Amino acid sequence: MDYLIGAFKPPCSISITFADGKNRKQASMKKENGQIVSVPLFQSHESFVGEVSIKPVHGKKVEHNGIKIELLGQIELYFDRGNFYDFVSFARELEVPGEIYERKTYPFEFSTVEMPYESYNGVNVRLRYVLKVTISRNYVSNIVEYQDFCVHNYSSLPSINNSIKMEVGIEDCLHIEFEYNKSKYHLKDVIVGKIFFLLVRIKIKHMELEIRRRESTGSGQSTYVETVTLAKFELMDGAPVRGESIPIRLFLSPYELTPTYVNINNKFSVKYYLNLVLVDEEDRRYFKQQEVTLCRILETS
């Protein structure tokens, strides 16, 4: 039995290391089993320099038809799990066909790689970047090793960033105005605003502000939409009166937010909404939803 188990083990181990791995910033990534791991963090147009080490199991040799390393950017839709759509793909040959008897190390470099989209791990879709090493073999399965990494791309908030002002109400029952100071925010920003009650003829019990993320995947009749409430922030507890003004000050940094994604590679979009919710004493809910744009800006020390 031990022999059979050993027969299915690969005849070598593969490790992938970055030249600046000890100094490079790390990011958290959730694996398919739910485990949170730290992976190297990159930006678009950076170079990837490192080495691949292949170590045969003691007493064994590795016969192969060539060894290569690939840098891939991939989108996986969970209703089509296992099929990856590559939007970035580069390859380097590390070794011609032959045999490996002892540990060998191969340097690699991918220069100024354009990575147009941020890494994303959502409800129905995953956008990932990975280094993939493949040892091709005859008659038996190839030996493959992966090294995930994360990509963050940074932008600037626009110089013109208009506030959001809206009126909402129920005829002869409720009329409120609400205002948010901006329509575009960065991930560590603060939402500042106010709500002004012009007419109140229903008994409001409390009011809260929600941050919602809406993920859309697929297209046409095959579109899947998932909405997740990421945060609930109580603005008011008790009944307001006409003329009362309620301030809004909501910090975004505690929440797991990503930038807004718009039609990424024609596969998915991710949008964010501020949802204002009022609940009356009979637990009826009144709400108004407003889309906002999120972006990642480079933090200064």
Side-chain angles (χ1 to χ4, degrees):
M1 180 61 72
D2 290 341
Y3 172 79
L4 289 176
I5 293 174
F8 292 102
K9 289 184 178 179
C12 66
S13 62
I14 304 173
S15 63
I16 306 169
T17 57
F18 295 104
D20 60 353
K22 292 183 179 180
N23 301 319
R24 178 164 291 277
K25 189 175 180 180
Q26 302 285 299
S28 296
M29 186 186 75
K30 181 183 289 187
K31 301 181 72 173
E32 290 186 358
N33 60 8
Q35 181 184 4
I36 303 296
V37 297
S38 293
V39 297
L41 177 62
F42 288 84
Q43 299 179 45
S44 185
H45 296 97
E46 281 200 74
S47 295
F48 294 78
V49 181
E51 62 181 28
V52 174
S53 177
I54 299 176
K55 182 180 179 181
V57 174
H58 182 68
K60 291 191 175 183
K61 66 177 180 179
V62 181
E63 299 180 1
H64 63 86
N65 288 332
I67 304 171
K68 68 178 179 179
I69 184 171
E70 298 170 274
L71 190 155
L72 303 171
Q74 302 177 318
I75 296 174
E76 180 187 28
L77 302 173
Y78 290 162
F79 58 79
D80 191 20
R81 188 177 290 274
N83 288 325
F84 292 94
Y85 301 90
D86 294 345
F87 59 89
V88 171
S89 180
F90 298 98
R92 300 282 187 271
E93 295 294 332
L94 299 178
E95 182 73 279
V96 297
E99 298 177 346
I100 300 177
Y101 296 91
E102 58 186 5
R103 178 174 178 170
K104 295 193 69 173
T105 300
Y106 305 93
F108 68 84
E109 179 174 357
F110 296 94
S111 299
T112 56
V113 180
E114 180 182 5
M115 295 170 285
Y117 313 126
E118 278 219 7
S119 302
Y120 177 74
N121 194 347
V123 178
N124 286 319
V125 62
R126 175 173 61 152
L127 189 155
R128 73 166 187 170
Y129 291 91
V130 66
L131 288 175
K132 177 183 178 183
V133 173
T134 304
I135 301 177
S136 299
R137 301 194 293 171
N138 278 330
Y139 311 117
V140 289
S141 59
N142 295 338
I143 304 171
V144 181
E145 181 68 25
Y146 297 92
Q147 171 62 59
D148 287 284
F149 61 92
C150 188
V151 172
H152 284 175
N153 288 331
Y154 301 91
S155 60
S156 300
L157 285 172
S159 56
I160 299 176
N161 194 351
N162 296 325
S163 61
I164 300 171
K165 296 182 180 180
M166 296 187 70
E167 295 186 17
V168 63
I170 305 168
E171 187 174 0
D172 296 328
C173 293
L174 178 69
H175 186 192
I176 63 174
E177 293 179 345
F178 65 90
E179 177 180 351
Y180 304 117
N181 61 330
K182 295 183 287 189
S183 55
K184 298 177 175 64
Y185 298 88
H186 63 81
L187 302 187
K188 306 296 183 182
D189 217 334
V190 183
I191 296 173
V192 177
K194 62 181 179 181
I195 300 164
F196 189 70
F197 290 87
L198 301 174
L199 176 65
V200 184
R201 289 181 178 169
I202 58 177
K203 295 181 179 180
I204 296 175
K205 185 167 59 176
H206 72 268
M207 178 170 58
E208 62 189 18
L209 184 64
E210 299 176 338
I211 301 175
R212 291 186 171 185
R213 181 177 66 208
R214 181 176 297 169
E215 177 188 285
S216 303
T217 56
S219 60
Q221 294 183 346
S222 299
T223 300
Y224 294 79
V225 178
E226 290 282 351
T227 300
V228 179
T229 301
L230 302 177
K232 290 185 178 182
F233 182 73
E234 187 174 273
L235 298 173
M236 181 192 69
D237 185 14
V241 297
R242 179 179 178 180
E244 188 170 359
S245 180
I246 305 295
I248 299 173
R249 191 172 181 84
L250 176 58
F251 291 83
L252 298 180
S253 55
Y255 307 110
E256 294 184 3
L257 305 174
T258 70
T260 297
Y261 298 75
V262 180
N263 195 26
I264 299 300
N265 214 48
N266 294 320
K267 298 297 181 185
F268 75 97
S269 296
V270 178
K271 298 181 180 180
Y272 287 88
Y273 296 85
L274 298 177
N275 191 40
L276 184 65
V277 182
L278 291 87
V279 182
D280 68 15
E281 291 186 347
E282 298 180 7
D283 286 330
R284 289 177 296 199
R285 298 168 64 88
Y286 311 88
F287 62 90
K288 182 64 177 180
Q289 194 164 259
Q290 176 62 44
E291 182 180 353
V292 293
T293 299
L294 299 185
C295 66
R296 188 186 302 279
I297 66 171
L298 191 61
E299 298 179 40
T300 57
S301 55

